[in-house]
Amino acid sequence: EAGVAQSPRYKIIEKRQSVAFWCNPISGHATLYWYQQILGQGPKLLIQFQNNGVVDDSQLPKDRFSAERLKGVDSTLKIQPAKLEDSAVYLCASRTGASDTQYFGPGTRLTVL
Amino acid sequence: LAKTTQPISMDSYEGQEVNITCSHNNIATNDYITWYQQFPSQGPRFIIQGYKTKVTNEVASLFIPADRKSSTLSLPRVSLSDTAVYYCLVDSGSARQLTFGSGTQLTVLP
């Protein structure tokens, strides 16, 4: 079974630039999550999708972050404009149901200069 | 929101059994307890999940007392490759409950 795919793996941008990350979850997984993991900390949930609808985005900084999951499969997370404090690894995870485990992708490491 | 508390770090030697305890005093009825392992430059990887009592799989055991306010991950006979950060997560499937703590850095020494 193929895992959660993410791209790019690494991205370096300057502050105030825009960036987008892509996630392809495991086939058949209805629930998709985006996390932000700052170095030395645990992952922090940003947004949860159920199919193509947003379940919870209460921790997403909506003034600069946006996410979508068109057709209930792939998802993109965008930051516009980026700040220095956005430097982190952005993880995507998916699961089939509430009692199932989450499966994480390898993450995208973002460095904002 | 069920917050979790774990030791920041632990050291062990190869071949020993390691027990990592997590406290989650505010766990709710619908919450599961899930443990993940994370290596540098990788996403967290599922180890084990439980609701109550004891769960065992091919890599670990999870002990949960009756009050469910804590849980203990047990890794039998660790090896150098078990050096990683271990996270305890209280998970009800709702985004509002998905809070990872800072994790426990386990270092296995030769």
Side-chain angles (χ1 to χ4, degrees):
Chain A
E1 177 182 79
V4 177
Q6 291 188 248
S7 68
R9 290 297 313 277
Y10 305 93
K11 189 73 176 178
I12 300 175
I13 62 173
E14 296 188 349
K15 60 183 178 182
R16 291 188 289 273
Q17 286 187 322
S18 301
V19 65
F21 313 126
W22 173 82
C23 172
N24 180 236
I26 294 173
S27 178
H29 283 197
T31 306
L32 184 148
Y33 306 89
W34 283 101
Y35 289 86
Q36 179 193 60
Q37 186 172 27
I38 294 173
L39 187 64
Q41 299 181 18
K44 172 190 170 185
L45 181 68
L46 294 176
I47 188 168
Q48 177 187 1
F49 289 95
Q50 183 72 22
N51 296 309
N52 62 344
V54 175
V55 173
D56 193 308
D57 61 358
S58 58
Q59 299 187 85
L60 186 73
K62 299 181 189 63
D63 58 334
R64 297 185 300 107
F65 286 64
S66 64
E68 61 181 8
R69 190 182 184 197
L70 299 176
K71 301 181 182 179
V73 181
D74 293 3
S75 178
T76 56
L77 176 69
K78 297 179 181 178
I79 307 175
Q80 180 179 15
K83 293 185 175 182
L84 297 177
E85 58 262 35
D86 298 331
S87 292
V89 175
Y90 291 84
L91 295 162
C92 179
S94 69
R95 75 199 313 181
T96 55
S99 62
D100 187 20
T101 65
Q102 297 182 64
Y103 294 86
F104 284 83
T108 297
R109 181 176 298 276
L110 173 68
T111 301
V112 182
L113 303 176
Chain B
L1 195 65
K3 298 187 71 173
T4 60
T5 304
Q6 304 172 232
I8 294 174
S9 63
M10 295 180 69
D11 290 344
S12 181
Y13 290 95
E14 279 192 292
Q16 289 189 329
E17 178 184 70
V18 171
N19 295 309
I20 306 174
T21 297
C22 176
S23 65
H24 26 78
N25 293 320
N26 296 326
I27 190 168
T29 304
N30 294 333
D31 291 337
Y32 286 81
I33 299 155
T34 311
W35 285 81
Y36 291 87
Q37 175 192 57
Q38 187 175 29
F39 297 111
S41 301
Q42 294 185 25
R45 186 181 72 161
F46 170 82
I47 302 174
I48 196 166
Q49 182 182 62
Y51 184 79
K52 61 181 179 181
T53 63
K54 177 183 175 182
V55 179
T56 298
N57 62 21
E58 62 275 10
V59 298
S61 294
L62 178 60
F63 299 91
I64 305 168
D67 65 7
R68 305 204 321 125
K69 293 186 177 182
S70 67
S71 59
T72 299
L73 174 71
S74 180
L75 303 172
R77 298 179 298 281
V78 294
S79 64
L80 296 177
S81 62
D82 292 319
T83 293
V85 178
Y86 291 81
Y87 291 100
C88 157
L89 177 66
V90 173
D91 184 358
S92 66
S94 165
R96 298 182 189 277
Q97 304 298 327
L98 288 175
T99 303
F100 282 84
S102 296
T104 298
Q105 171 66 58
L106 172 65
T107 302
V108 180
L109 305 169

